[in-house]
Amino acid sequence: MPENYHEEIESYYDESLRDYEIVWQLKHSMALHYGFWNNDTHTHRQALWNMNFQVAKNAQITKDDLVLDAGCGVGGTSFFLANNIGCRVHGISLSKAHVHRALEYQKDNDPKNLVAFSCQNFCETSFPDNTFDVVFGIESIVHADDKAAFLKEAFRVLKPGGRLLISDYFLRHPKNQKEKEVLKKWANSWAIDDFIYEDDFLAAVKNVGFHPYFLEDISQNVYPSVKLMHRSYYPGVVISKVSNFFGRRTNKQLENSKSGKYQYTSHQQGVWKYKHFLAFKSPEKVYASLDEFITNNKPCEVYVDTEKFQERFPILSKRGFKPRNILKRVMHFYLENGIKNSNKTF
């Protein structure tokens, strides 16, 4: 691991924020993850919302819980939990830019003042022992340079009976040089020191003292977003190379534009699967099923995104003519059209 690895992560997320604003519609979604697609999901924005719902459901979060969002990004999931569940949430991130943006979004998205943010390393936090009811990470734990250190810290700050939920890429070890090369390029493009290798990780989970509850493969539920990111590679890398040549995009931003190809290729090679992982600090009350939890707690109403492109990206508004929104309509139609069709790979 490089000595400045944490600075590399912070720098990557700071510099890639603009890319997420464009492709991930960050101001609306406040999300930096793949999202979760099911039969009722029709748009990428809805999938991003749906992943927040899956976190609430799978971690069995109630209004009485104190929750740690480990790697909170710009705060979208933290706000979702506070507004829909009514729980208190503390979001932490290494990225000062993310925390700054989360605090900006908080003005309009945390009316009950249930959310707090701070810049911290989730492998070594400032919280006392036995503080939280739930610790969760969405595509953030993969950035831990020492996965066992994160697990030990999560175990320390969780109360007895507390839950740990991780939604992330779980890998098998590569079988050949070609798989290794793709993984290396992907890791470099996303400032990842090393991925989560499933067998090693589960051994570390038990060694720390957690009681694993389930490990659910939801790869098919993120696959449309895997394809969307792959589609974004083609125009993105051309624009990035030209912009980089003229000094308008950094080398990190250029590499980030290539990541869509690497993550897709590695997925097609069968090297990684996307999974929900739930474990308990000690086995207390566990609902017989997640459906029972939803019935008892009613986390929220399911959000359905019915907004059309012309409403999402108005060309004429009170502020005048917006030619840039024409390009946005074209781009998002290209990215999302037919994305749920499993036979379409582009």
Side-chain angles (χ1 to χ4, degrees), residues 10-283:
E10 182 179 356
S11 175
Y12 163 74
Y13 275 110
D14 290 355
E15 293 183 38
S16 65
L17 203 53
R18 180 59 180 157
D19 293 347
Y20 283 103
E21 286 177 344
I22 296 170
V23 181
W24 250 239
Q25 302 170 74
L26 193 64
K27 290 179 182 178
H28 178 277
S29 68
M30 295 178 285
L32 298 139
H33 50 70
Y34 276 100
F36 185 97
W37 298 75
N38 54 22
N39 292 335
D40 299 321
T41 310
H42 304 293
T43 66
H44 186 220
R45 294 197 312 183
Q46 189 180 347
L48 296 173
W49 179 96
N50 201 5
M51 179 60 86
N52 297 332
F53 176 78
Q54 298 300 317
V55 167
K57 180 180 75 170
N58 286 292
Q60 304 179 357
I61 298 172
T62 72
K63 63 181 179 62
D64 298 320
D65 288 331
L66 177 58
V67 180
L68 177 63
D69 185 347
C72 63
V74 297
T77 308
S78 296
F79 298 136
F80 175 92
L81 294 173
N83 292 326
N84 290 282
I85 308 297
C87 59
R88 289 181 297 138
V89 188
H90 195 122
I92 61 175
S93 172
L94 285 173
S95 171
K96 296 182 184 68
H98 279 185
V99 171
H100 178 73
R101 183 66 65 88
L103 291 170
E104 285 184 353
Y105 290 155
Q106 187 172 19
K107 297 170 187 175
D108 297 321
N109 292 281
D110 184 24
K112 295 182 180 178
N113 198 29
L114 292 172
V115 184
F117 296 103
S118 60
C119 278
Q120 295 196 54
N121 177 1
F122 54 49
C123 292
E124 190 177 0
T125 72
S126 62
F127 305 111
D129 295 355
N130 307 316
T131 297
F132 295 98
D133 300 284
V134 177
V135 174
F136 76 89
I138 309 176
E139 297 169 34
S140 56
I141 310 310
V142 68
H143 284 290
D145 48 320
D146 184 344
K147 308 313 188 264
F150 163 74
L151 291 169
K152 290 175 184 175
E153 183 67 359
F155 192 88
R156 183 186 71 80
V157 300
L158 277 170
K159 299 174 183 176
R163 289 92 73 200
L164 170 66
L165 179 75
I166 296 172
S167 302
D168 221 316
Y169 333 109
F170 286 79
L171 278 67
R172 61 164 170 77
H173 288 282
K175 295 177 179 178
N176 53 54
Q177 189 60 32
K178 186 176 181 180
E179 291 182 353
K180 288 180 182 178
E181 288 173 0
V182 173
L183 273 185
K184 184 177 180 181
K185 290 177 180 178
W186 182 19
N188 290 339
S189 69
W190 279 0
I192 295 171
D193 181 57
D194 204 0
F195 291 93
I196 299 173
Y197 292 98
E198 184 173 319
D199 293 343
D200 301 338
F201 184 78
L202 292 178
V205 164
K206 293 178 181 178
N207 187 53
V208 167
F210 278 110
H211 296 260
Y213 186 56
F214 68 68
L215 183 65
E216 180 185 5
D217 184 355
I218 58 167
S219 300
Q220 289 304 309
N221 299 102
V222 303
Y223 185 52
S225 293
V226 174
K227 290 194 293 183
L228 184 150
M229 195 175 292
H230 184 224
R231 288 181 178 183
S232 72
Y233 160 80
Y234 294 93
V237 76
V238 172
I239 294 169
S240 289
K241 283 184 176 180
V242 173
S243 300
N244 180 259
F245 178 80
F246 288 103
R248 301 297 299 273
R249 280 179 70 82
T250 66
N251 290 333
K252 280 191 177 69
Q253 289 171 324
L254 174 58
E255 288 306 306
N256 186 48
S257 69
K258 299 176 183 178
S259 64
K261 179 180 180 180
Y262 303 144
Q263 56 89 40
Y264 177 81
T265 302
S266 188
H267 180 275
Q268 297 305 94
Q269 291 171 334
V271 177
W272 65 277
K273 294 184 182 298
Y274 197 106
K275 298 187 178 184
H276 284 319
F277 171 73
L278 179 66
F280 286 74
K281 183 169 180 177
S282 60

